[in-house]
Amino acid sequence: MHCPFCRHTDSRVMDSRATDDGSSIRRRRQCPECGRRFTTVETASLSVVKRSGATEPFSRAKVVAGVRKACQGRPVTEDQLALLAQRARGPVYGEDLAWGTGVTAQSVVNNWLASPRHRAVLLRPGFRRIGIGIAFGTFVGHGGAAVVTADFAGR
Ligand SMILES: [Zn+2]
């Protein structure tokens, strides 16, 4: 991620949180070169591969329009189509970050559970997949630090 101030080609994630509907992640970043901070919003994009081989962004409205057309003359109500649209959701995902010196898996999880917004990510019912990353080194000037990231996905 380029720094928007000095165009440095790297940035450090200081904090991250999922938006309320879980469709994107806001990250607070700091540039290691000029020290300025900025926010990024990342969203997952779901693509549909057409029969022709071309791809286009997933569109709930198009899915429903296609099903409506296929169901013409059949006993399918608008209510049933609306229900289908609701279920044809895109993916949701979330992320918790932690860093510090002398951290253990237990202390990281305890800190997340004690923080309402980290706890909400950990316990979100739709999440079915998890990825964990841990890096050791110097972080924000603190040697011997561990940076822990947990990413969740589901629907
Ligand atoms: Zn910069």
Side-chain angles (χ1 to χ4, degrees):
M1 182 72 216
H2 283 266
C3 169
F5 303 104
C6 73
R7 308 302 300 162
H8 186 67
T9 53
D10 196 15
S11 67
R12 181 185 289 135
V13 177
M14 310 296 295
D15 188 29
S16 76
R17 70 190 235 186
T19 54
D20 289 340
D21 66 355
S23 64
S24 58
I25 295 180
R26 287 172 59 88
R27 289 197 161 94
R28 195 74 185 135
R29 295 173 178 272
Q30 185 173 32
C31 173
E33 188 66 26
C34 71
R36 291 165 95 171
R37 295 182 178 199
F38 55 99
T39 301
T40 57
V41 177
E42 295 167 27
T43 53
S45 64
L46 206 59
S47 305
V48 177
V49 181
K50 311 290 285 182
R51 209 167 299 163
S52 66
T55 61
E56 64 176 47
F58 170 80
S59 154
R60 191 170 307 173
K62 276 196 174 174
V63 169
V64 172
V67 174
R68 181 181 288 123
K69 210 168 149 187
C71 293
Q72 253 170 18
R74 296 194 172 87
V76 177
T77 65
E78 277 302 310
D79 277 359
Q80 288 170 317
L81 285 172
L83 202 62
L84 173 86
Q86 234 173 48
R87 289 178 180 161
R89 296 192 311 178
V92 291
Y93 56 99
E95 181 178 67
D96 277 342
L97 288 182
W99 75 272
T101 52
V103 300
T104 62
Q106 185 77 63
S107 71
V108 167
V109 172
N110 284 344
N111 283 332
W112 283 341
L113 287 174
S115 150
R117 70 168 222 254
H118 291 91
R119 182 186 179 90
V121 172
L122 271 187
L123 302 182
R124 189 186 168 104
F127 289 151
R128 293 287 180 271
R129 292 164 186 268
I130 182 172
I132 308 273
I134 304 175
F136 298 96
T138 299
F139 190 72
V140 205
H142 293 78
V147 179
V148 183
T149 161
D151 285 88
F152 306 88
R155 355 194 111 240

PDB file of all heavy atoms in Angstrom, residues 122-147:
ATOM      1  N   LEU A 122     -14.495 -11.950  16.759  1.00  0.00           N
ATOM      2  CA  LEU A 122     -14.201 -13.339  17.159  1.00  0.00           C
ATOM      3  C   LEU A 122     -15.457 -14.195  17.208  1.00  0.00           C
ATOM      4  O   LEU A 122     -15.434 -15.358  16.821  1.00  0.00           O
ATOM      5  CB  LEU A 122     -13.578 -13.360  18.567  1.00  0.00           C
ATOM      6  CG  LEU A 122     -12.087 -13.245  18.736  1.00  0.00           C
ATOM      7  CD1 LEU A 122     -11.739 -13.470  20.197  1.00  0.00           C
ATOM      8  CD2 LEU A 122     -11.341 -14.237  17.860  1.00  0.00           C
ATOM      9  N   LEU A 123     -16.548 -13.615  17.709  1.00  0.00           N
ATOM     10  CA  LEU A 123     -17.748 -14.408  17.984  1.00  0.00           C
ATOM     11  C   LEU A 123     -18.832 -14.258  16.924  1.00  0.00           C
ATOM     12  O   LEU A 123     -19.942 -14.732  17.114  1.00  0.00           O
ATOM     13  CB  LEU A 123     -18.310 -14.028  19.369  1.00  0.00           C
ATOM     14  CG  LEU A 123     -17.332 -14.218  20.541  1.00  0.00           C
ATOM     15  CD1 LEU A 123     -17.993 -13.858  21.853  1.00  0.00           C
ATOM     16  CD2 LEU A 123     -16.810 -15.650  20.585  1.00  0.00           C
ATOM     17  N   ARG A 124     -18.531 -13.612  15.802  1.00  0.00           N
ATOM     18  CA  ARG A 124     -19.546 -13.442  14.763  1.00  0.00           C
ATOM     19  C   ARG A 124     -20.019 -14.803  14.254  1.00  0.00           C
ATOM     20  O   ARG A 124     -19.225 -15.627  13.815  1.00  0.00           O
ATOM     21  CB  ARG A 124     -18.959 -12.624  13.607  1.00  0.00           C
ATOM     22  CG  ARG A 124     -20.006 -12.216  12.588  1.00  0.00           C
ATOM     23  CD  ARG A 124     -19.369 -11.548  11.397  1.00  0.00           C
ATOM     24  NE  ARG A 124     -20.376 -11.435  10.352  1.00  0.00           N
ATOM     25  CZ  ARG A 124     -21.001 -10.300  10.039  1.00  0.00           C
ATOM     26  NH1 ARG A 124     -20.682  -9.201  10.649  1.00  0.00           N
ATOM     27  NH2 ARG A 124     -21.924 -10.289   9.121  1.00  0.00           N
ATOM     28  N   PRO A 125     -21.344 -15.069  14.302  1.00  0.00           N
ATOM     29  CA  PRO A 125     -21.837 -16.420  14.012  1.00  0.00           C
ATOM     30  C   PRO A 125     -21.567 -16.915  12.593  1.00  0.00           C
ATOM     31  O   PRO A 125     -21.369 -18.101  12.394  1.00  0.00           O
ATOM     32  CB  PRO A 125     -23.350 -16.312  14.249  1.00  0.00           C
ATOM     33  CG  PRO A 125     -23.545 -15.067  15.031  1.00  0.00           C
ATOM     34  CD  PRO A 125     -22.412 -14.153  14.695  1.00  0.00           C
ATOM     35  N   GLY A 126     -21.535 -16.043  11.589  1.00  0.00           N
ATOM     36  CA  GLY A 126     -21.395 -16.503  10.204  1.00  0.00           C
ATOM     37  C   GLY A 126     -20.010 -16.981   9.830  1.00  0.00           C
ATOM     38  O   GLY A 126     -19.835 -17.628   8.798  1.00  0.00           O
ATOM     39  N   PHE A 127     -19.006 -16.701  10.640  1.00  0.00           N
ATOM     40  CA  PHE A 127     -17.642 -17.058  10.249  1.00  0.00           C
ATOM     41  C   PHE A 127     -17.404 -18.557  10.343  1.00  0.00           C
ATOM     42  O   PHE A 127     -17.751 -19.191  11.332  1.00  0.00           O
ATOM     43  CB  PHE A 127     -16.618 -16.313  11.110  1.00  0.00           C
ATOM     44  CG  PHE A 127     -16.540 -14.844  10.801  1.00  0.00           C
ATOM     45  CD1 PHE A 127     -16.178 -13.942  11.779  1.00  0.00           C
ATOM     46  CD2 PHE A 127     -16.817 -14.374   9.531  1.00  0.00           C
ATOM     47  CE1 PHE A 127     -16.101 -12.587  11.498  1.00  0.00           C
ATOM     48  CE2 PHE A 127     -16.731 -13.030   9.238  1.00  0.00           C
ATOM     49  CZ  PHE A 127     -16.376 -12.136  10.231  1.00  0.00           C
ATOM     50  N   ARG A 128     -16.827 -19.113   9.273  1.00  0.00           N
ATOM     51  CA  ARG A 128     -16.581 -20.553   9.228  1.00  0.00           C
ATOM     52  C   ARG A 128     -15.100 -20.868   8.984  1.00  0.00           C
ATOM     53  O   ARG A 128     -14.683 -21.999   9.104  1.00  0.00           O
ATOM     54  CB  ARG A 128     -17.397 -21.182   8.095  1.00  0.00           C
ATOM     55  CG  ARG A 128     -18.903 -21.139   8.331  1.00  0.00           C
ATOM     56  CD  ARG A 128     -19.301 -22.134   9.405  1.00  0.00           C
ATOM     57  NE  ARG A 128     -20.726 -22.125   9.657  1.00  0.00           N
ATOM     58  CZ  ARG A 128     -21.310 -21.318  10.552  1.00  0.00           C
ATOM     59  NH1 ARG A 128     -20.598 -20.479  11.253  1.00  0.00           N
ATOM     60  NH2 ARG A 128     -22.613 -21.366  10.734  1.00  0.00           N
ATOM     61  N   ARG A 129     -14.322 -19.867   8.565  1.00  0.00           N
ATOM     62  CA  ARG A 129     -12.922 -20.118   8.241  1.00  0.00           C
ATOM     63  C   ARG A 129     -12.051 -19.134   9.015  1.00  0.00           C
ATOM     64  O   ARG A 129     -12.448 -18.001   9.246  1.00  0.00           O
ATOM     65  CB  ARG A 129     -12.648 -19.940   6.750  1.00  0.00           C
ATOM     66  CG  ARG A 129     -13.303 -20.987   5.897  1.00  0.00           C
ATOM     67  CD  ARG A 129     -13.330 -20.574   4.449  1.00  0.00           C
ATOM     68  NE  ARG A 129     -14.093 -21.536   3.670  1.00  0.00           N
ATOM     69  CZ  ARG A 129     -13.536 -22.579   3.057  1.00  0.00           C
ATOM     70  NH1 ARG A 129     -12.249 -22.753   3.085  1.00  0.00           N
ATOM     71  NH2 ARG A 129     -14.288 -23.427   2.399  1.00  0.00           N
ATOM     72  N   ILE A 130     -10.865 -19.591   9.377  1.00  0.00           N
ATOM     73  CA  ILE A 130      -9.950 -18.721  10.111  1.00  0.00           C
ATOM     74  C   ILE A 130      -8.536 -18.914   9.582  1.00  0.00           C
ATOM     75  O   ILE A 130      -8.155 -20.025   9.184  1.00  0.00           O
ATOM     76  CB  ILE A 130     -10.013 -19.016  11.631  1.00  0.00           C
ATOM     77  CG1 ILE A 130      -9.084 -18.077  12.407  1.00  0.00           C
ATOM     78  CG2 ILE A 130      -9.673 -20.465  11.930  1.00  0.00           C
ATOM     79  CD1 ILE A 130      -9.230 -18.165  13.916  1.00  0.00           C
ATOM     80  N   GLY A 131      -7.786 -17.830   9.532  1.00  0.00           N
ATOM     81  CA  GLY A 131      -6.368 -17.886   9.203  1.00  0.00           C
ATOM     82  C   GLY A 131      -5.609 -17.084  10.247  1.00  0.00           C
ATOM     83  O   GLY A 131      -6.046 -16.001  10.627  1.00  0.00           O
ATOM     84  N   ILE A 132      -4.503 -17.637  10.741  1.00  0.00           N
ATOM     85  CA  ILE A 132      -3.730 -16.974  11.796  1.00  0.00           C
ATOM     86  C   ILE A 132      -2.318 -16.711  11.272  1.00  0.00           C
ATOM     87  O   ILE A 132      -1.722 -17.588  10.660  1.00  0.00           O
ATOM     88  CB  ILE A 132      -3.591 -17.879  13.048  1.00  0.00           C
ATOM     89  CG1 ILE A 132      -4.952 -18.391  13.519  1.00  0.00           C
ATOM     90  CG2 ILE A 132      -2.828 -17.153  14.149  1.00  0.00           C
ATOM     91  CD1 ILE A 132      -5.679 -17.510  14.455  1.00  0.00           C
ATOM     92  N   GLY A 133      -1.824 -15.511  11.513  1.00  0.00           N
ATOM     93  CA  GLY A 133      -0.436 -15.210  11.158  1.00  0.00           C
ATOM     94  C   GLY A 133       0.279 -14.583  12.346  1.00  0.00           C
ATOM     95  O   GLY A 133      -0.304 -13.775  13.067  1.00  0.00           O
ATOM     96  N   ILE A 134       1.522 -14.988  12.559  1.00  0.00           N
ATOM     97  CA  ILE A 134       2.314 -14.417  13.651  1.00  0.00           C
ATOM     98  C   ILE A 134       3.694 -14.066  13.093  1.00  0.00           C
ATOM     99  O   ILE A 134       4.314 -14.879  12.404  1.00  0.00           O
ATOM    100  CB  ILE A 134       2.491 -15.406  14.828  1.00  0.00           C
ATOM    101  CG1 ILE A 134       1.125 -15.872  15.331  1.00  0.00           C
ATOM    102  CG2 ILE A 134       3.277 -14.746  15.959  1.00  0.00           C
ATOM    103  CD1 ILE A 134       1.215 -16.939  16.392  1.00  0.00           C
ATOM    104  N   ALA A 135       4.148 -12.844  13.367  1.00  0.00           N
ATOM    105  CA  ALA A 135       5.495 -12.437  12.963  1.00  0.00           C
ATOM    106  C   ALA A 135       6.219 -11.911  14.190  1.00  0.00           C
ATOM    107  O   ALA A 135       5.633 -11.222  15.024  1.00  0.00           O
ATOM    108  CB  ALA A 135       5.418 -11.364  11.883  1.00  0.00           C
ATOM    109  N   PHE A 136       7.501 -12.245  14.316  1.00  0.00           N
ATOM    110  CA  PHE A 136       8.314 -11.765  15.431  1.00  0.00           C
ATOM    111  C   PHE A 136       9.371 -10.809  14.896  1.00  0.00           C
ATOM    112  O   PHE A 136       9.916 -11.014  13.821  1.00  0.00           O
ATOM    113  CB  PHE A 136       8.995 -12.941  16.154  1.00  0.00           C
ATOM    114  CG  PHE A 136       8.020 -13.909  16.757  1.00  0.00           C
ATOM    115  CD1 PHE A 136       7.644 -15.056  16.068  1.00  0.00           C
ATOM    116  CD2 PHE A 136       7.466 -13.665  18.008  1.00  0.00           C
ATOM    117  CE1 PHE A 136       6.729 -15.953  16.613  1.00  0.00           C
ATOM    118  CE2 PHE A 136       6.553 -14.551  18.565  1.00  0.00           C
ATOM    119  CZ  PHE A 136       6.186 -15.698  17.872  1.00  0.00           C
ATOM    120  N   GLY A 137       9.654  -9.767  15.643  1.00  0.00           N
ATOM    121  CA  GLY A 137      10.687  -8.824  15.212  1.00  0.00           C
ATOM    122  C   GLY A 137      10.474  -7.481  15.880  1.00  0.00           C
ATOM    123  O   GLY A 137       9.893  -7.391  16.965  1.00  0.00           O
ATOM    124  N   THR A 138      10.945  -6.409  15.204  1.00  0.00           N
ATOM    125  CA  THR A 138      10.791  -5.070  15.741  1.00  0.00           C
ATOM    126  C   THR A 138       9.545  -4.440  15.147  1.00  0.00           C
ATOM    127  O   THR A 138       9.334  -4.489  13.932  1.00  0.00           O
ATOM    128  CB  THR A 138      12.030  -4.217  15.398  1.00  0.00           C
ATOM    129  OG1 THR A 138      13.171  -4.840  16.000  1.00  0.00           O
ATOM    130  CG2 THR A 138      11.893  -2.799  15.934  1.00  0.00           C
ATOM    131  N   PHE A 139       8.663  -3.915  16.000  1.00  0.00           N
ATOM    132  CA  PHE A 139       7.433  -3.300  15.533  1.00  0.00           C
ATOM    133  C   PHE A 139       7.253  -1.975  16.250  1.00  0.00           C
ATOM    134  O   PHE A 139       7.313  -1.918  17.483  1.00  0.00           O
ATOM    135  CB  PHE A 139       6.240  -4.232  15.793  1.00  0.00           C
ATOM    136  CG  PHE A 139       4.958  -3.775  15.131  1.00  0.00           C
ATOM    137  CD1 PHE A 139       4.784  -3.869  13.757  1.00  0.00           C
ATOM    138  CD2 PHE A 139       3.934  -3.234  15.884  1.00  0.00           C
ATOM    139  CE1 PHE A 139       3.605  -3.449  13.150  1.00  0.00           C
ATOM    140  CE2 PHE A 139       2.756  -2.816  15.287  1.00  0.00           C
ATOM    141  CZ  PHE A 139       2.592  -2.919  13.918  1.00  0.00           C
ATOM    142  N   VAL A 140       7.073  -0.893  15.476  1.00  0.00           N
ATOM    143  CA  VAL A 140       6.932   0.465  16.036  1.00  0.00           C
ATOM    144  C   VAL A 140       8.044   0.741  17.055  1.00  0.00           C
ATOM    145  O   VAL A 140       7.798   1.286  18.130  1.00  0.00           O
ATOM    146  CB  VAL A 140       5.537   0.690  16.661  1.00  0.00           C
ATOM    147  CG1 VAL A 140       5.198   2.168  16.672  1.00  0.00           C
ATOM    148  CG2 VAL A 140       4.452  -0.062  15.938  1.00  0.00           C
ATOM    149  N   GLY A 141       9.257   0.333  16.703  1.00  0.00           N
ATOM    150  CA  GLY A 141      10.404   0.625  17.558  1.00  0.00           C
ATOM    151  C   GLY A 141      10.597  -0.306  18.743  1.00  0.00           C
ATOM    152  O   GLY A 141      11.529  -0.130  19.525  1.00  0.00           O
ATOM    153  N   HIS A 142       9.722  -1.289  18.895  1.00  0.00           N
ATOM    154  CA  HIS A 142       9.843  -2.232  20.010  1.00  0.00           C
ATOM    155  C   HIS A 142      10.446  -3.547  19.524  1.00  0.00           C
ATOM    156  O   HIS A 142       9.808  -4.277  18.760  1.00  0.00           O
ATOM    157  CB  HIS A 142       8.486  -2.501  20.658  1.00  0.00           C
ATOM    158  CG  HIS A 142       7.902  -1.319  21.358  1.00  0.00           C
ATOM    159  ND1 HIS A 142       7.292  -0.280  20.682  1.00  0.00           N
ATOM    160  CD2 HIS A 142       7.861  -0.992  22.675  1.00  0.00           C
ATOM    161  CE1 HIS A 142       6.887   0.627  21.554  1.00  0.00           C
ATOM    162  NE2 HIS A 142       7.217   0.228  22.767  1.00  0.00           N
ATOM    163  N   GLY A 143      11.664  -3.847  19.975  1.00  0.00           N
ATOM    164  CA  GLY A 143      12.307  -5.102  19.601  1.00  0.00           C
ATOM    165  C   GLY A 143      11.635  -6.267  20.324  1.00  0.00           C
ATOM    166  O   GLY A 143      11.004  -6.085  21.364  1.00  0.00           O
ATOM    167  N   GLY A 144      11.783  -7.462  19.764  1.00  0.00           N
ATOM    168  CA  GLY A 144      11.204  -8.655  20.394  1.00  0.00           C
ATOM    169  C   GLY A 144       9.693  -8.640  20.444  1.00  0.00           C
ATOM    170  O   GLY A 144       9.087  -9.243  21.321  1.00  0.00           O
ATOM    171  N   ALA A 145       9.086  -7.934  19.507  1.00  0.00           N
ATOM    172  CA  ALA A 145       7.623  -7.861  19.501  1.00  0.00           C
ATOM    173  C   ALA A 145       7.029  -8.988  18.663  1.00  0.00           C
ATOM    174  O   ALA A 145       7.676  -9.521  17.770  1.00  0.00           O
ATOM    175  CB  ALA A 145       7.171  -6.513  18.947  1.00  0.00           C
ATOM    176  N   ALA A 146       5.824  -9.353  18.990  1.00  0.00           N
ATOM    177  CA  ALA A 146       5.054 -10.289  18.174  1.00  0.00           C
ATOM    178  C   ALA A 146       3.866  -9.533  17.604  1.00  0.00           C
ATOM    179  O   ALA A 146       3.240  -8.753  18.308  1.00  0.00           O
ATOM    180  CB  ALA A 146       4.583 -11.470  19.007  1.00  0.00           C
ATOM    181  N   VAL A 147       3.601  -9.742  16.314  1.00  0.00           N
ATOM    182  CA  VAL A 147       2.419  -9.172  15.675  1.00  0.00           C
ATOM    183  C   VAL A 147       1.533 -10.350  15.281  1.00  0.00           C
ATOM    184  O   VAL A 147       1.994 -11.268  14.610  1.00  0.00           O
ATOM    185  CB  VAL A 147       2.794  -8.340  14.420  1.00  0.00           C
ATOM    186  CG1 VAL A 147       1.547  -7.788  13.752  1.00  0.00           C
ATOM    187  CG2 VAL A 147       3.750  -7.217  14.801  1.00  0.00           C
TER     188      VAL A 147
END
